[in-house]
């Protein structure tokens, strides 16, 4: 755990947030500043700073995608469509240096850019 990391504090329970999913490897909760009607973050329990630090061939990203797909069904956007986003580094606008996957849906999402 990184002591100054907001997502580590959510994983440990130090910051209270309703979890919409939890298992041995990841937790998921609603983004505090939602950019869409459905905006959930899927976050590994371990402190990994970003996708660049995930070793090649590691199963973590696959598990995060599986959980996001499950949550898309749970949030009833599986049929209408959704977007999974992982930001990495300054040009992406990554704010929190603890790996997370955004699940966005529930409206027509704008173009990527
Ligand atoms: P990123 O720009 O990819 O690093 O996204 C970080 C996301 O974390 C942003 O969309 C923030 O709104 C969200 N966020 C930051 N702090 C919290 C928090 N305490 N609970 C829920 N979401 C948060
Ligand atoms: Zn962390």
């Amino acid at each position: 755990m990184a002591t100054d990391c907001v997502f580590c504090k959510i994983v440990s329970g130090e910051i209270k947030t309703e979890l919409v999913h939890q298992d041995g490897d990841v937790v998921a909760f609603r983004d505090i500043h939602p950019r869409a009607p459905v905006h959930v973050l899927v976050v590994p329990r371990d402190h990994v700073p970003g996708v660049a630090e995930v070793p090649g061939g590691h199963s973590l990203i696959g598990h995060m995608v599986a959980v996001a797909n499950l949550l898309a069904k749970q949030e009833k956007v599986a049929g209408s469509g959704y977007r999974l986003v992982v930001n990495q580094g300054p040009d992406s606008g990554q704010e929190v240096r603890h790996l997370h996957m955004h699940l966005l849906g529930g409206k027509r999402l704008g173009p990527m850019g």
Side-chain angles (χ1 to χ4, degrees):
M1 165 166 176
T3 48
D4 59 346
C5 172
V6 63
F7 288 175
C8 281
K9 287 180 180 167
I10 288 174
V11 168
S12 72
E14 189 180 334
I15 295 177
K16 303 274 176 260
T17 308
E18 186 203 343
L19 300 179
V20 295
H21 172 89
Q22 54 183 316
D23 62 38
D25 297 313
V26 303
V27 301
F29 49 88
R30 296 188 195 284
D31 197 290
I32 203 166
H33 294 128
R35 257 58 63 83
V38 173
H39 189 173
V40 172
L41 301 173
V42 180
V43 176
R45 288 183 181 276
D46 290 342
H47 181 86
V48 180
V51 75
E53 283 79 18
V54 178
H58 199 283
S59 61
L60 176 60
I61 297 295
H63 181 59
M64 290 170 72
V65 171
V67 169
N69 286 339
L70 186 77
L71 289 170
K73 291 195 185 99
Q74 205 170 289
E75 298 287 326
K76 306 197 182 339
V77 295
S80 51
Y82 52 96
R83 183 175 289 161
L84 305 181
V85 175
V86 178
N87 290 319
Q88 171 63 42
D91 276 357
S92 74
Q94 185 183 8
E95 289 170 21
V96 179
R97 288 285 291 151
H98 179 133
L99 175 63
H100 53 280
M101 181 175 286
H102 298 254
L103 163 64
L104 295 149
K107 70 169 187 181
R108 192 79 175 198
L109 299 166
M112 300 284 288

